[in-house]
Amino acid sequence: MIEWTQGVRRIGVLTGAGISTDSGIPDFRGPDGLWTKDPSLAEAFTYNRFMNDGEVRKRFWAAYSGNSAWSAKPNAAHRALAELDRPGMALRVLTQNIDGLHQRAGLAARKVLELHGSMHQAVCTKCEATTPGADVIARVHAGEPEPACKDCGGILKLAIVLFGEYLNGDVLDQSKQIAAASQLFLAIGTTLEVEPAASLCAVAVAAGANLVIINRDPTPYDRIATEVIREPIGTAVPRICAEIMAGASG
Ligand code: ZN
């Protein structure tokens, strides 16, 4: 029995790229990552460059149309978190991922806060009309290298936060409230190097939560964690979720 899993009702979970690698989505910065293989691609993910250069947009859409995330399925860790969401449990997932796999695993959309947006929606930067991300990718595959808004001809962009763009203020405020209200705050598969998402750990600890970090590599927040777990996410998260459920009913 692990003490911090007992009697927990309010759980905040912060997830990063590491939770999705078992679903076949490479960590952008990891050894098989997009930017490791082609560092110049980072330019295509920079807001000003994307908005001002059609060639950059073509590179963005070409890179994204081949992204394995479009066909990825939730893995054991996503499923275990979705199963943890049951009556009497207040669970919220704050994710740095844009892949939508928490929702695909069965977690209600309102319980998932997407800090960096979602690749499953595209938005027109001119008229703000939204359209499914997969529909835009289908147009790329059908031979449109740089699809424009069908309503107004404006530049289409995936609803993700590019370099040089701010995070959604409402999502960030809500995330801080969730971190501050949590009894247990789990940070899973994130290096905790990207702010302001990472400092949510400090918010949770300052408010009295137990912080548990599950990540392969050390993070800047390890020293304030109740426990740091190096076990693979695919086994650690289902094990912890089972302990929490057992500890809630006892
Ligand atoms: Zn438009």
Side-chain angles (χ1 to χ4, degrees):
M1 191 183 83
I2 312 170
E3 200 173 327
W4 50 260
T5 60
Q6 303 303 300
V8 181
R9 302 269 174 220
R10 297 187 307 279
I11 304 172
V13 184
L14 174 67
T15 63
I19 196 171
S20 292
T21 48
D22 280 354
S23 292
I25 302 174
D27 181 344
F28 275 12
R29 291 175 185 82
D32 297 320
L34 271 180
W35 298 331
T36 310
K37 286 179 178 166
D38 182 1
S40 69
L41 254 185
E43 181 189 48
F45 288 80
T46 301
Y47 182 75
N48 280 334
R49 300 288 297 124
F50 181 88
M51 291 302 293
N52 290 311
D53 189 338
E55 291 305 312
V56 168
R57 288 193 291 278
K58 285 177 189 169
R59 294 191 62 212
F60 176 92
W61 291 115
Y64 248 94
S65 62
N67 193 320
S68 54
W70 295 106
S71 55
K73 293 186 173 62
N75 61 55
H78 295 109
R79 288 195 297 271
L81 288 172
E83 283 165 21
L84 193 56
D85 181 42
R86 44 184 64 193
M89 197 72 85
L91 176 78
R92 292 292 184 277
V93 173
L94 322 173
T95 187
Q96 295 173 286
N97 299 335
I98 58 170
D99 55 36
L101 290 180
H102 289 295
Q103 297 93 317
R104 288 198 176 176
L107 206 52
R110 67 179 183 85
K111 298 188 176 181
V112 183
L113 281 86
E114 296 175 307
L115 291 159
H116 295 169
S118 172
M119 62 187 279
H120 295 290
Q121 192 176 60
V123 60
C124 172
T125 56
K126 196 170 169 192
C127 76
E128 297 184 351
T130 59
T131 173
D135 289 2
V136 181
I137 294 302
R139 288 170 65 188
V140 177
H141 284 304
E144 284 184 73
E146 188 207 343
C149 174
K150 280 185 171 170
D151 294 335
C152 77
I155 294 170
L156 277 182
K157 176 184 165 297
L158 285 182
I160 62 176
V161 178
L162 299 178
F163 291 127
E165 264 191 299
Y166 290 106
L167 272 64
N168 180 305
D170 292 339
V171 172
L172 194 56
D173 285 347
Q174 268 183 281
S175 298
K176 284 177 186 163
Q177 285 169 21
I178 290 163
S182 299
Q183 296 167 295
L184 174 63
F185 197 75
L186 301 173
I188 306 171
T190 164
T191 58
L192 300 178
E193 278 164 350
V194 180
E195 293 297 348
S199 56
L200 292 169
C201 292
V203 170
V205 170
N210 280 316
L211 168 66
V212 174
I213 295 173
I214 305 151
N215 197 50
R216 183 188 54 197
D217 302 311
T219 82
Y221 291 87
D222 287 2
R223 62 189 165 74
I224 61 165
T226 302
E227 191 166 336
V228 177
I229 297 170
R230 300 265 179 254
E231 178 189 346
I233 290 166
T235 56
V237 174
R239 177 175 63 75
I240 290 164
C241 289
E243 288 251 13
I244 291 169
M245 281 195 278
S249 57

